[in-house]
Amino acid sequence: MSTETPPPETDEPVDDEHAEDAAIEPSDDVETASPGERRRAEKRARGAQADTEWQTGTESSGDQETRTITVFRYDPEVEEKASPHFDDFTVPYFKGMTVLDALIYARDEYDSSLTFRHSCRQAVCGSDALFINGRQRLACKTQLSALDDPVRVEPLPHADVVKDLVVDMEHFYDQMKSVDPFFDPDDLPKGELEEQKQSPENREKIKMGTRCIWCGACMSSCNIAAGDNEYLGPAAINMAYRFAMDEREGEIKKEDRIRIIEQEHGVWRCQTQFSCTEVCPKDIPLTEHIQELKREAVKANLKFW
C-alpha cells in the first residue's frame, strides 16, 4: 500500500498532450490495446501528472498553508530516545488532510524512525487509534481542519508503549478472546447448504454490536479498566452482547457466556460513565449494551418455585 499523501488541488493546467501520450504507453496503437491496458495506462498517466503538479506546487508556493503536529516519541532501544519526549513536525496542509496523512508525511519527509500503526486508512482496520488532542480517535478518520493547532498526538493511555505511538495490544486481545467471540449453536441446519436464519428484527437489535473494529479506544478511555487489569472492558463485553443476544446462539452457550460476563470483573464493574460510548469511532452504544447484559445476568439467576 502506498504511503504517499494525496496531492493538493491545484489550478495548474494539465498537459493533455503528454497525458494522452502516457495513456497509450502499453501499445503504440491505441486501437490494438486492450481496454485493461488503456485503463492502467490512463491511471499511470494521472498519477504521474499529479506527482508533477504536487512537486511543482510545493516548490513554487512559499505561502502554502501548513499545520504543526506535536508527536510523542519513545524508543527504549536507542539511548538518546529512551526518555519520553515530544517532537514537532510542520507539514503542508491540503483540504481533507487527516492526522494519519500528517503522520505519514512527517515519517516520509522528516524522520523515517517515527513509528505508528496504520493499514486500511478507511476507519475499518482499527489499527491507528491514538490519543489526539486529549481524546481517543482514529487518525485516519480525524480531519486536521477540525483540530486546534498544534495537534498533539500520543499513544493510547493505559497501555504499555512499545515505541513512539505503538502500544502493546496483547492484553486487549486476551480480554476479547476471553468471552469466546464465536458461535456455538445447539443445532445446525439439516441441509448441507442451508444457512442459519436470523429475523430482521434480531439483526437490527445486534447490528451496532457487530461494528466493533477492535481498535481499543473504548478500553483506553475507561477509568475502571485503567484501575482493574482483570476487568473485561467495554469492547469484550460488547462482543459478548453481539453473540448472547443473537437468536442463533445456542442456549447452552448463552448460559456459559452470561456466566463469563457476570463474574466479579465483568459487567458489574461498569460504573456507567459513558466514556467508552463517547469515544467509539463506530458509534456503538457500548454502555447501553453493558446495561442490557446486566439485566440478562439478573434474569438468568432468578428462580421461581
Side-chain angles (χ1 to χ4, degrees):
M1 176 177 292
S2 174
T3 57
E4 294 181 4
T5 55
E9 296 180 1
T10 176
D11 295 331
E12 292 186 21
V14 177
D15 190 340
D16 294 331
E17 181 179 351
H18 288 84
E20 290 175 359
D21 291 341
I24 61 173
E25 181 185 352
S27 173
D28 294 333
D29 188 352
V30 178
E31 295 181 357
T32 61
S34 69
E37 288 178 326
R38 288 197 294 271
R39 286 195 299 270
R40 289 190 290 272
E42 290 168 2
K43 184 175 180 181
R44 286 194 294 271
R46 289 195 299 269
Q49 183 67 29
D51 288 343
T52 301
E53 293 173 357
W54 165 255
Q55 292 297 333
T56 303
T58 301
E59 294 170 0
S60 62
S61 58
D63 58 346
Q64 182 178 10
E65 183 179 356
T66 61
R67 296 296 301 270
T68 300
I69 56 173
T70 301
V71 185
F72 178 88
R73 306 302 304 275
Y74 168 69
D75 187 348
E77 297 182 357
V78 179
E79 185 176 352
E80 57 270 24
K81 297 181 181 180
S83 178
H85 62 283
F86 285 86
D87 285 344
D88 290 342
F89 299 96
T90 300
V91 301
Y93 173 78
F94 58 85
K95 183 179 180 181
M97 190 176 196
T98 65
V99 173
L100 180 58
D101 291 330
L103 288 170
I104 290 175
Y105 185 92
R107 179 195 63 193
D108 293 350
E109 299 297 329
Y110 297 130
D111 186 351
S112 61
S113 69
L114 178 59
T115 307
F116 51 92
R117 291 188 177 109
H118 70 95
S119 183
C120 74
R121 302 180 72 172
Q122 298 182 62
V124 175
C125 70
S127 60
D128 63 340
L130 298 168
F131 197 57
I132 303 171
N133 276 16
R135 181 186 176 92
Q136 288 82 359
R137 313 172 196 256
L138 292 183
C140 66
K141 188 180 179 182
T142 306
Q143 295 285 312
L144 278 178
S145 59
L147 303 173
D148 294 331
D149 209 22
V151 177
R152 189 180 178 94
V153 186
E154 303 170 73
L156 289 177
H158 309 147
D160 294 332
V161 178
V162 178
K163 180 181 178 182
D164 291 345
L165 301 176
V166 175
V167 298
D168 187 348
M169 297 288 287
E170 285 303 312
H171 176 66
F172 173 79
Y173 295 145
D174 288 342
Q175 297 300 77
M176 295 294 279
K177 294 173 184 176
S178 69
V179 298
D180 295 341
F182 51 82
F183 276 120
D184 187 5
D186 291 339
D187 299 300
L188 294 175
K190 295 181 180 179
E192 182 179 349
L193 300 179
E194 185 178 352
E195 60 187 25
Q196 291 179 275
K197 297 178 181 177
Q198 181 183 30
S199 68
E201 295 78 15
N202 185 249
R203 173 61 189 175
E204 189 65 24
K205 179 180 179 64
I206 68 166
K207 178 175 67 176
M208 295 303 293
T210 66
R211 294 182 176 180
C212 178
I213 56 176
W214 292 44
C215 67
C218 61
M219 192 79 159
S220 171
S221 73
C222 179
N223 292 327
I224 309 305
D228 181 359
N229 202 44
E230 296 184 52
Y231 176 45
L232 289 176
I237 295 176
N238 172 74
M239 188 62 65
Y241 173 92
R242 178 261 177 275
F243 289 104
M245 306 308 291
D246 193 311
E247 63 186 6
R248 297 168 295 179
E249 176 86 310
E251 287 300 320
I252 297 175
K253 185 59 183 178
K254 182 174 181 178
E255 292 176 4
D256 290 341
R257 205 181 299 281
I258 293 297
R259 279 196 290 269
I260 292 173
I261 59 96
E262 70 171 352
Q263 59 176 292
E264 179 183 354
H265 300 280
V267 292
W268 303 112
R269 291 288 287 125
C270 174
Q271 296 182 2
T272 324
Q273 296 177 357
F274 287 91
S275 59
C276 55
T277 300
E278 290 177 358
V279 303
C280 178
K282 308 305 286 186
D283 299 319
I284 303 172
L286 296 163
T287 309
E288 180 181 324
H289 289 174
I290 294 173
Q291 303 315 303
E292 189 163 353
L293 284 179
K294 287 181 180 179
R295 291 191 289 271
E296 290 296 314
V298 170
K299 289 190 292 184
N301 287 299
L302 288 177
K303 299 183 183 297
F304 298 95
W305 61 84

